[in-house]
């Protein structure tokens, strides 16, 4: 199994299909994965296979490492397009997430004021007021919504704790449009069960939820790297283009990554 475990607390820069030259910030340990989802397509592998032995980085460690990297990049004339919170698990699970966002915005303003601050989140902590407030302060608040079907979420996203997609959609609405929805589309099977989410049984209810959320953008994408469940397959260009056209017909801005 080919698995990507990212260094911590800063990694890259890497080229993101959706965001450009991205300097990554990983708030999880650098030797394993901690996540409130256990997605069957996650490039970091399954939670149970990569239990970390080290701790999360502290707020001070994140701030100092990020300052050093940004200073080096500025001095070399190669600042990032975006500073992206991602890595080996759910970034908003860090107990000091909100304060780290404040530090990051200040460092961005000092070293690379044109760069955006992005957070890739599975939305499991957006009910926490400090997390929601922090996400309102970043440039790109990118929240996952692969479907609104609870059975699909149980098979594919596999939450490790309480997760109610209806509640999550309602909380997404509270961002008042300061939100980018990110959705994975794919084919395949997992443990003998189909996990396709490309037909209208899944697409149309999901699209109704997206319309109600009123995001600034919808990012739709498909598998790009090896997945821990090997019975998954990419969506085709035509399939993604069809969904993008449906969204655009509703006046929504769409980004497609094939």
């Amino acid at each position: 199994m080919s698995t990507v475990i990212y260094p911590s607390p800063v990694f890259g820069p890497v080229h993101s299909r959706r965001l450009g030259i991205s300097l990554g910030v990983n708030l999880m340990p650098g030797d394993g994965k901690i996540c409130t989802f256990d997605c069957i397509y996650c490039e970091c592998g399954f939670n149970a296979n990569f239990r970390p032995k080290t701790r999360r980085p502290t707020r001070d460690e994140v701030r100092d490492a990020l300052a050093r990297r940004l200073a080096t990049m500025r001095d070399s004339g190669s600042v990032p397009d975006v500073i992206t919170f991602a890595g080996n698990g759910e970034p908003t699970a860090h107990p000091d997430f909100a304060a780290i966002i404040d530090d990051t915005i200040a460092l961005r303003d000092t070293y690379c004021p044109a760069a955006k601050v992005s957070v890739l989140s599975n939305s499991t902590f957006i009910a926490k007021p400090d997390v929601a407030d922090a996400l309102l302060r970043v440039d790109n608040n990118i929240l996952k919504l692969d479907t609104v079907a609870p059975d699909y979420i149980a098979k594919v996203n596999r939450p490790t704790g309480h997760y109610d997609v209806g509640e999550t959609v309602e909380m997404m609405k509270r961002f008042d449009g300061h939100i980018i929805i990110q959705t994975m589309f794919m084919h395949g099977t997992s443990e003998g069960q189909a996990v396709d989410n490309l037909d209208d049984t899944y697409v149309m209810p999901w699209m109704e939820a997206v319309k109600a959320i009123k995001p600034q953008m919808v990012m739709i994408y498909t598998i790009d790297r090896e997945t821990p469940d090997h019975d998954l397959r990419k969506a085709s260009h035509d399939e993604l283009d069809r969904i993008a056209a449906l969204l655009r017909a509703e006046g929504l801005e769409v980004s497609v990554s094939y």
Side-chain angles (χ1 to χ4, degrees):
M1 182 188 303
S2 177
T3 302
V4 181
I5 297 295
Y6 292 95
S8 178
V10 178
F11 64 93
V14 299
H15 185 269
S16 165
R17 288 186 293 169
R18 285 151 283 170
L19 300 171
I21 302 302
S22 172
L23 182 64
V25 181
N26 176 21
L27 299 185
M28 297 299 115
D31 64 340
K33 181 187 173 193
I34 301 175
C35 196
T36 49
F37 275 6
D38 195 16
C39 297
I40 62 174
Y41 56 75
C42 181
E43 65 182 10
C44 297
F46 293 130
N47 292 347
N49 295 337
F50 298 96
R51 299 294 188 194
K53 296 181 175 60
T54 59
R55 57 168 175 78
R56 293 183 175 104
T58 65
R59 174 187 178 182
D60 289 348
E61 288 168 341
V62 175
R63 183 188 60 239
D64 293 347
L66 185 57
R68 288 193 299 271
R69 184 66 60 84
L70 290 175
T72 298
M73 294 181 75
R74 181 195 60 186
D75 293 346
S76 68
S78 59
V79 294
D81 298 314
V82 62
I83 301 166
T84 306
F85 285 79
N88 308 333
E90 174 52 36
T92 64
H94 194 291
D96 291 324
F97 174 75
I100 290 170
I101 290 296
D102 288 339
D103 294 339
T104 301
I105 291 170
L107 290 169
R108 183 274 308 276
D109 292 348
T110 299
Y111 292 105
C112 50
K116 305 294 186 183
V117 176
S118 298
V119 177
L120 301 179
S121 170
N122 64 22
S123 311
T124 49
F125 285 89
I126 61 174
K128 292 183 62 179
D130 63 326
V131 169
D133 288 346
L135 292 174
L136 284 168
R137 295 195 295 276
V138 304
D139 300 287
N140 297 318
N141 170 30
I142 305 172
L143 301 184
K144 172 166 290 300
L145 185 67
D146 286 341
T147 182
V148 293
D151 61 334
Y152 189 88
I153 291 165
K155 287 189 295 185
V156 173
N157 299 129
R158 306 195 306 173
T160 60
H162 171 75
Y163 179 85
D164 183 297
V165 69
E167 293 173 0
T168 299
V169 168
E170 290 303 311
M171 288 183 288
M172 287 177 168
K173 294 178 186 177
R174 297 179 188 176
F175 287 102
D176 196 25
H178 186 71
I179 175 176
I180 297 171
I181 295 295
Q182 182 190 69
T183 302
M184 165 70 81
F185 288 103
M186 64 183 181
H187 290 289
T189 61
S190 180
E191 298 181 350
Q193 298 185 74
V195 292
D196 301 54
N197 63 336
L198 285 148
D199 65 44
D200 284 349
T201 303
Y202 290 103
V203 171
M204 301 313 290
W206 165 83
M207 193 167 73
E208 289 302 311
V210 170
K211 287 162 56 181
I213 294 164
K214 300 179 182 177
Q216 66 197 70
M217 179 184 287
V218 184
M219 292 179 170
I220 63 174
Y221 68 121
T222 192
I223 295 164
D224 185 48
R225 299 182 177 92
E226 186 175 353
T227 57
D229 192 319
H230 294 296
D231 294 322
L232 309 179
R233 306 189 311 279
K234 290 173 72 76
S236 71
H237 287 210
D238 287 346
E239 287 168 325
L240 293 180
D241 287 344
R242 181 186 81 88
I243 295 168
L246 291 171
L247 292 165
R248 289 178 180 130
E250 297 293 339
L252 292 161
E253 184 175 348
V254 186
S255 166
V256 184
S257 298
Y258 301 104

